[in-house]
Amino acid sequence: MEFRRVLVIDDEEIARISCRRVLEAKGITVALAAGGREGIEYLMRNPVDLVLVDLKMPGMDGVEVARRVRDFDPSIVAIIITGYATIESAVEVMKEGAYDYLPKPFTPDELLIVVERGLQKRRLEVESTALREEKAAMERNFVTMVTHQLRSPLSAISQYAEVLLGGMGGELNETQCDMLGRIQHRLDGLLNLINDWLDMSRIQSGEILSRLQRVSLSRCVKDAVDGFELAAGEKNIRCTVEIPPGFPDVQVDPFTFRELLNNLIANAIKYNREGGSITIRAHEKKDWAVLEVEDTGIGIEEKEIPFVFDQFYRGKAQEVRTQTGTGLGLSIVQRIVKAHGGKVEVRSRPGKGTVFSIYVNR
Ligand code: ATP
Ligand code: MG
């Protein structure tokens, strides 16, 4: 792309033609329009890099043209030719989205300087947009790459380990069993890390706000809780959901919101005591729906609270160290609520339990 297409909009024929002569001599492609409306129509059908428009015209004036150019494509540069080079008129046209102005009368050189500068701006803008898009596409590719090239083989390895452990590849002695068990444990850790990481990049892509839906909070919570039946059972943990019937729907992206719930419930089980309990409640507070996940677990020391939402932060307590984890869960939770325009709070009593509160829009 060359970025040398200029549209001149002026009701005076002489002015249009002389602009065209000056610009074409420098290899710029010029189109002419005799009025604002005609100019905008041309712009919507043809590629244009810069619009040079007269301020005073019958019908649609230069300020209005600049405003419409900006609405149509903010990277197209608008330059206004004004007969009254007063500060006020200049300020006014710039406010409406014009990039520059050119006071009348002007010399061919003055015209060229302003137009070349405008075209340069347009080129930079289009190129940086293209770079940004390319970067986003690379990030997306990277996510796909990680999913297919890393996660799939790891899951396959993990499945083979499981088959071997089950004795389906022949009988194993105790040492072999032990080693295979360790292999599988490490693989699980790695797979968790990759899954967390994939979640993060999905959230970062900033698509959450466009996927908001009204959903029933108690439905979401119950579905998530059901997924943990086994894990909770292993530790004899009872999980109760106390969301009043008729509680207003919330505005969330169901997929990532589920991810958020999974992380909070997983923590409430992992850092709970044998035979403990989890209670999930909801109440309304101003415009918010507040969801609380409360556990009767080990709690969090006050000095650790400021860090728990940091990436890769893991508690220092012995009870935490003996559990596998990467320290990404709560940072994912925080990203998800923030992407929803909400917030998360935590209060805890060491040795007694912890409550995480999620604020989302009703
Ligand atoms: P993973 O990435 O597998 O979730 P993780 O659980 O260690 O690892 P986070 O979920 O981010 O990481 O939690 C960070 C830390 O916060 C934990 O290591 C733990 O110390 C503390 N923590 C989180 N939830 C609780 C909870 N319900 N009770 C007590 N401590 C908690
Ligand atoms: Mg966690």
Side-chain angles (χ1 to χ4, degrees):
M1 238 203 278
E2 273 227 64
F3 305 108
R4 293 186 82 68
R5 293 159 305 196
V6 172
L7 168 65
V8 179
I9 309 176
D10 200 319
D11 56 326
E12 279 175 58
E13 193 178 7
I14 306 270
R16 291 197 298 271
I17 297 197
S18 50
C19 278
R20 174 159 71 185
R21 203 172 34 229
V22 173
L23 297 173
E24 280 185 346
K26 294 291 172 191
I28 293 169
T29 311
V30 180
L32 301 180
R37 209 162 295 281
E38 188 188 328
I40 294 296
E41 255 164 43
Y42 177 88
L43 181 80
M44 290 165 84
R45 297 204 174 84
N46 302 276
V48 169
D49 299 307
L50 184 148
V51 177
L52 196 60
V53 58
D54 192 20
L55 177 64
K56 279 272 175 220
M57 289 186 296
M60 194 190 290
D61 69 0
V63 175
E64 176 66 17
V65 170
R67 186 184 304 139
R68 295 200 183 197
V69 169
R70 182 190 56 192
D71 291 348
F72 175 67
D73 177 352
S75 75
I76 297 178
V77 169
I79 292 171
I80 300 208
I81 302 169
T82 151
Y84 333 83
T86 62
I87 295 289
E88 295 90 86
S89 67
V91 167
E92 195 202 348
V93 299
M94 307 292 266
K95 264 202 308 228
E96 289 306 327
Y99 169 64
D100 209 346
Y101 67 100
L102 191 62
K104 266 198 278 201
F106 49 83
T107 66
D109 279 346
E110 286 165 344
L111 172 67
L112 281 171
I113 288 174
V114 171
V115 167
E116 289 289 0
R117 192 166 57 205
L119 288 174
Q120 170 85 349
K121 152 106 174 13
R122 158 81 171 162
R123 187 170 59 81
L124 288 177
E125 189 123 335
V126 171
E127 284 175 356
S128 67
T129 309
L131 281 177
R132 261 197 303 279
E133 278 163 10
E134 194 180 321
K135 183 165 165 270
M138 268 171 63
E139 278 167 6
R140 278 196 300 275
N141 282 342
F142 192 56
V143 171
T144 327
M145 198 275 284
V146 169
T147 323
H148 295 284
Q149 315 291 323
L150 285 176
R151 190 166 60 169
S152 316
L154 280 176
S155 326
I157 297 173
S158 164
Q159 275 159 25
Y160 277 115
E162 194 171 321
V163 169
L164 286 178
L165 265 174
M168 276 166 266
E171 200 138 325
L172 300 174
N173 65 34
E174 207 174 314
T175 323
Q176 288 168 330
C177 268
D178 179 52
M179 285 179 172
L180 266 178
R182 283 164 198 257
I183 288 177
Q184 213 183 16
H185 185 66
R186 288 305 184 104
L187 282 173
D188 284 348
L190 211 46
L191 277 167
N192 272 336
L193 177 67
I194 290 174
N195 286 336
D196 281 354
W197 189 83
L198 282 172
D199 285 344
M200 293 270 235
S201 46
R202 279 200 205 99
I203 301 157
Q204 267 163 347
S205 57
E207 287 160 13
I208 288 185
L209 286 177
S210 63
R211 288 184 309 222
L212 292 187
Q213 289 176 25
R214 305 198 66 84
V215 296
S216 146
L217 191 58
S218 60
R219 185 76 267 139
C220 283
V221 170
K222 280 182 187 131
D223 286 347
V225 167
D226 284 349
F228 283 93
E229 207 180 338
L230 213 70
E234 278 173 6
K235 254 176 132 170
N236 264 319
I237 290 169
R238 211 163 43 96
C239 191
T240 3
V241 180
E242 291 175 2
I243 298 178
F247 192 83
D249 286 351
V250 287
Q251 296 258 28
V252 298
D253 162 44
F255 180 78
T256 47
F257 195 66
R258 174 66 181 265
E259 219 51 57
L260 174 156
L261 292 171
N262 285 349
N263 273 302
L264 290 181
I265 299 169
N267 283 347
I269 294 174
K270 199 151 82 165
Y271 306 116
N272 217 320
R273 56 181 165 75
E274 177 78 32
S277 66
I278 300 172
T279 315
I280 304 183
R281 301 189 184 86
H283 65 267
E284 296 173 63
K285 191 168 175 178
K286 294 191 190 142
D287 288 340
W288 300 108
V290 186
L291 183 74
E292 292 187 336
V293 180
E294 177 167 6
D295 65 54
T296 55
I298 58 173
I300 306 170
E301 295 280 344
E302 196 170 342
K303 61 175 188 292
E304 291 200 77
I305 296 253
F307 304 104
V308 290
F309 295 101
D310 289 355
Q311 277 187 49
F312 301 112
Y313 182 83
R314 301 211 66 218
K316 302 282 167 263
Q318 184 61 28
E319 296 94 321
V320 174
R321 296 281 136 183
T322 50
Q323 302 283 342
T324 53
T326 44
L328 283 173
L330 286 179
S331 75
I332 291 174
V333 167
Q334 191 174 48
R335 268 166 208 257
I336 295 175
V337 269
K338 280 198 176 153
H340 279 86
K343 59 177 176 177
V344 49
E345 286 172 357
V346 52
R347 38 181 216 280
S348 184
R349 283 168 45 203
K352 294 266 191 286
T354 308
V355 187
F356 282 91
S357 310
I358 299 293
Y359 290 67
V360 286
N361 288 307
R362 283 190 276 137

